[in-house]
């Protein structure tokens, strides 16, 4: 959130991507998905206590028999490392399962569906419980991503309203503000706007744009209004291939929940 605020403070005209999604049901959906996740975690923990080590032995033997991918399900790791790991992570439901828990649980959830050609994957109640847990985890993760995006859009809306006032009170402008203010002044279609454009044209005999593919919408319109005032707007320059290029759209990390 702090990175988003710094980005918008410096470049107030940036387009926000990805767009806002409908967040009207986020609260209700999260509550239902959280309940499903808690139930799935409790079922997986119970299945582990009632026969989880037996399930790991079934998986290890299937790997040794080449029924499943022996590199992905290494028998020595399944027997040696996974029991203690699953003992620890399934002891109590965490607020959010970490990577150390997710990897073996995810592999166990998919083992029955990913046998080698012509073979049959192992089956066990604990493996089925892992499948339910991974499905619940995936669903709530997607909803949390949507919720995080809604929070960032709400913050960006507030920043758009609050930053101009705060900057005026602090008597400060950013380089992005200079572009934004110049664009606004040139766009007014008044005698003052024409005088401003005329003065700029009078100072420079030519305008050459280096790295044109990185030119954003505001910069492009400034050049057009000053140096080609009679031309139609025409196609805008394509956005850069990398989202971190400045001035075209907010960096992906600024709006992404990750």
């Amino acid at each position: 959130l702090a990175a988003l605020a710094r980005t918008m403070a410096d470049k107030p005209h940036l387009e926000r991507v990805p767009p806002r999604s409908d967040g009207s049901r986020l609260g209700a959906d999260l509550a239902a998905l959280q309940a499903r996740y808690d139930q799935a975690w409790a079922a997986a923990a119970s299945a582990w206590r009632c026969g989880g080590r037996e399930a790991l032995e079934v998986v290890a033997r299937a790997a040794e028999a080449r029924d499943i991918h022996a590199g992905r399900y290494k028998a020595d790791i399944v027997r040696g490392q996974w029991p203690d790991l699953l003992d620890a992570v399934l002891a109590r439901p965490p607020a959010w399962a970490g990577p150390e828990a997710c990897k073996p649980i995810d592999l166990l959830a998919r083992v029955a569906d990913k046998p080698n050609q012509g073979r049959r994957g192992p089956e066990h109640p604990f493996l089925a419980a892992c499948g339910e847990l991974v499905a619940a985890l995936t669903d709530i993760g997607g909803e949390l991503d949507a919720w995080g995006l809604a929070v960032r859009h709400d913050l960006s809306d507030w920043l758009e309203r609050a930053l101009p006032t705060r900057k005026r009170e602090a008597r400060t402008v950013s380089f992005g503000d200079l572009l934004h203010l110049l664009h606004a002044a040139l766009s007014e279609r008044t005698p003052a706007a024409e005088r401003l454009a005329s003065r700029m044209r009078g100072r420079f005999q030519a305008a050459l744009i280096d790295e044109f593919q990185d030119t954003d919408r505001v910069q492009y319109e400034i050049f057009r209004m000053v140096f080609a005032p009679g031309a139609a707007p025409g196609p805008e320059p394509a956005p850069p291939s990398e989202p971190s290029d400045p001035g075209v759209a907010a960096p992906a990390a600024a709006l992404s929940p990750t």
Side-chain angles (χ1 to χ4, degrees):
L1 295 178
L4 173 59
R6 286 191 295 269
T7 298
M8 289 196 65
D10 185 53
K11 299 180 176 67
H13 58 279
L14 291 181
E15 178 184 357
R16 297 170 210 168
V17 290
R20 180 191 290 274
S21 59
D22 179 20
S24 58
R25 288 191 46 80
L26 281 176
D29 290 344
L30 277 174
L33 290 171
Q34 181 67 49
R36 179 191 170 198
Y37 169 71
D38 292 341
Q39 183 178 8
W41 189 275
S46 176
W48 171 251
R49 291 191 298 270
C50 295
R53 291 175 183 269
E54 174 187 277
L56 294 187
E57 182 60 28
V58 170
V59 171
R61 289 179 180 177
E64 291 172 336
R66 297 296 190 269
D67 291 334
I68 57 177
H69 195 292
R72 187 176 297 120
Y73 300 92
K74 295 182 178 179
D76 57 335
I77 293 179
V78 172
R79 289 189 177 109
Q81 298 180 13
W82 285 12
D84 291 340
L85 176 60
L86 292 170
D87 269 338
V89 299
L90 292 172
R92 59 183 178 83
W96 189 255
E100 75 285 352
C102 287
K103 182 177 179 180
I105 291 175
D106 183 61
L107 288 172
L108 291 171
R110 294 184 291 116
V111 65
D113 300 327
K114 299 259 184 204
N116 288 332
Q117 187 173 6
R119 302 298 184 97
R120 183 176 177 179
E123 297 179 356
H124 191 277
F126 175 65
L127 303 181
C130 286
E132 290 295 325
L133 178 57
V134 168
L137 190 62
T138 300
D139 288 346
I140 196 173
E143 200 70 13
L144 283 171
D145 285 349
W147 177 81
L149 179 61
V151 169
R152 284 159 175 78
H153 272 289
D154 288 344
L155 174 61
S156 65
D157 289 343
W158 180 84
L159 288 168
E160 191 172 46
R161 296 189 302 269
L163 279 173
T165 300
R166 296 194 175 209
K167 286 181 176 181
R168 283 194 299 270
E169 292 172 351
R171 300 177 64 85
T172 183
V173 293
S174 68
F175 288 109
D177 290 325
L178 296 177
L179 285 171
H180 191 64
L181 293 171
L182 177 58
H183 181 273
L186 291 168
S187 302
E188 288 179 353
R189 300 182 183 277
T190 62
E194 177 51 39
R195 287 195 299 272
L196 174 60
S198 179
R199 287 190 63 182
M200 294 178 69
R201 282 194 297 271
R203 291 186 60 187
F204 306 101
Q205 294 182 341
L208 304 178
I209 304 177
D210 188 25
E211 300 290 344
F212 183 73
Q213 74 276 6
D214 293 340
T215 302
D216 68 24
R217 184 179 296 108
V218 170
Q219 295 166 344
Y220 176 76
E221 285 297 315
I222 288 172
F223 282 113
R224 187 183 64 81
M225 288 186 287
V226 172
F227 295 102
E236 294 179 358
S241 58
E242 294 296 328
S244 59
D245 287 347
V248 174
L255 287 181
S256 169
T258 55

